[in-house]
Amino acid sequence: MDQLKETIIGLTAKAGGTWGVVVEDLDTGKSLAHNEGELFLAESVIKVPIMAAVFAAAEEKRFNLSDTMTLRREDMVGGSGFLQHMTPGIVLPIYDLITLMIVQSDNTATNMLVDLVGADAINRTMRETGMKESHFFNKCCVYPVNREGLNEITAADVNALLKTLATGSYISYHACQQMIEIMKKQQVRNGLPAYLPESDSPVIGSLTPWEMAHKPGWDTGRQHDAGILFAGKGSVSITVLSKNIEPFSALDTLAKIGQSVYAYMTAGKKA
C-alpha cells in the first residue's frame, strides 16, 4: 500500500491541480489518503447519496420504488442524460429514474428525485453514511441567485459512503446490493476504469477480470470518479477528486490510478 500511495501521489503531482484521494482495501482494512479532507465541488458524485436517500425514503414507506413519476416540462434541464429530450408526460418508475441518474448521470432524473425526497433527507443520509463534512444544497443546473451554499464533498466522506454501501451497512443488505448493482451499470467509463484490461478470452460474451461500481462527475476544471473495484477475490474503494485541472490530463491520471490499484489487487496485494 505504501508503494501504491507513492505511485498515486506521483501521478497527481505530474498532472498538476489539486487532488483528494482515498483508496481502501475493504478486505484487509489497509488504506491510503492524500488531501482527504479537502473540499471539492461535488459535481455528479453527489448523485450517489441522493440515490441512497431515495432508497432510505422507500424503506420508510414514503413510497415504493415501483411507484411512477410523470416528467413535467418544468423538470427538464440540460447537461447529462436523455430525459431532457423526451416528451413531457411520459411516466417512469422511481427505480428507473435512479438508474438513469447513476448510469447516464441524467440531471433531469436527478432533480425529480431531489423534489421527491427533499434536501433535508439527502443531508440526513449523508450524515448517516459517514459524510461528516459534505453537504447538499442545490439541484442540477438550477442555481438560485441567492444560494444558501454549494454541493461539496471530501474524498474521506465519499469513501465512507462507498464503504457503507459495500458492506451492506445502510438501510439493509438488499438495498445496498441494489445500489451497488446500479452503479456497476455505469456508462461513463473514461475515468478510473478506462485503462483496465478487457477479457482475453476468445469466447463471445466472456466476462472481464474485474467489475466496477462507480460514479464519475465533472465540470470545467474538475474531474472526479469514485467507486468500488472488484478484482480477483478482493474489493477496493477508490475516491479521486480533482480541481484546477485540464480535462485530458485529469482523465488520463484517473485511468492510471485505476490501473495502479488493479495492479495492486492482482499482484496478491504485495505492494
Side-chain angles (χ1 to χ4, degrees), residues 28-247:
T28 67
K30 294 180 180 179
S31 64
L32 66 85
H34 175 67
N35 288 340
E36 67 273 21
E38 177 90 14
L39 282 168
F40 292 78
L41 292 179
E43 306 308 339
S44 288
V45 177
I46 199 68
K47 294 169 183 176
V48 180
I50 293 172
M51 171 176 65
V54 176
F55 269 86
E59 181 70 16
E60 295 166 358
K61 306 302 182 184
R62 291 177 53 185
F63 48 76
N64 296 313
L65 295 178
S66 57
D67 289 347
T68 59
M69 296 183 70
T70 301
L71 177 66
R72 306 170 303 170
R73 173 66 64 186
E74 54 266 36
D75 294 323
M76 300 167 75
V77 294
S80 302
F82 73 82
L83 281 185
Q84 62 181 303
H85 306 298
M86 304 302 285
T87 303
I90 64 169
V91 177
L92 291 164
I94 293 169
Y95 193 92
D96 288 358
L97 290 170
I98 296 170
T99 300
L100 288 171
M101 174 178 69
I102 298 298
V103 306
Q104 286 197 340
S105 207
D106 194 296
N107 290 332
T108 296
T110 302
N111 288 355
M112 292 172 69
L113 294 171
V114 171
D115 285 340
L116 178 67
V117 297
D120 288 344
I122 295 166
N123 281 300
R124 182 170 66 251
T125 288
M126 293 169 76
R127 300 288 87 75
E128 292 171 350
T129 55
M131 302 185 74
K132 299 177 181 179
E133 304 300 327
S134 304
H135 35 259
F136 171 84
F137 288 102
N138 306 297
K139 295 194 291 186
C140 299
C141 305
V142 179
Y143 307 118
V145 173
N146 298 312
R147 283 186 283 185
E148 184 180 353
L150 300 171
N151 300 340
E152 292 182 303
I153 54 175
T154 70
D157 283 357
V158 175
N159 182 73
L161 170 62
L162 293 173
K163 185 175 180 178
T164 298
L165 298 182
T167 56
S169 302
Y170 187 60
I171 307 170
S172 69
Y173 183 92
H174 180 59
C176 290
Q177 185 179 42
Q178 290 182 84
M179 288 186 271
I180 293 293
E181 289 303 315
I182 290 172
M183 291 173 69
K184 283 183 178 180
K185 296 180 175 70
Q186 176 59 240
Q187 294 181 352
V188 182
R189 299 223 161 204
N190 58 353
L192 287 170
Y195 295 163
L196 297 185
E198 300 295 332
S199 173
D200 58 4
S201 172
V203 179
I204 294 173
S206 296
L207 298 176
T208 61
W210 57 271
E211 286 187 289
M212 190 166 193
H214 69 119
K215 182 70 192 77
W218 63 92
D219 200 349
T220 304
R222 295 181 290 277
Q223 196 80 44
H224 311 325
D225 206 350
I228 304 155
L229 177 61
F230 305 91
K233 296 182 179 180
S235 53
V236 173
S237 62
I238 315 170
T239 298
V240 186
L241 313 176
S242 68
K243 56 187 175 183
N244 303 319
I245 184 74
E246 191 273 329

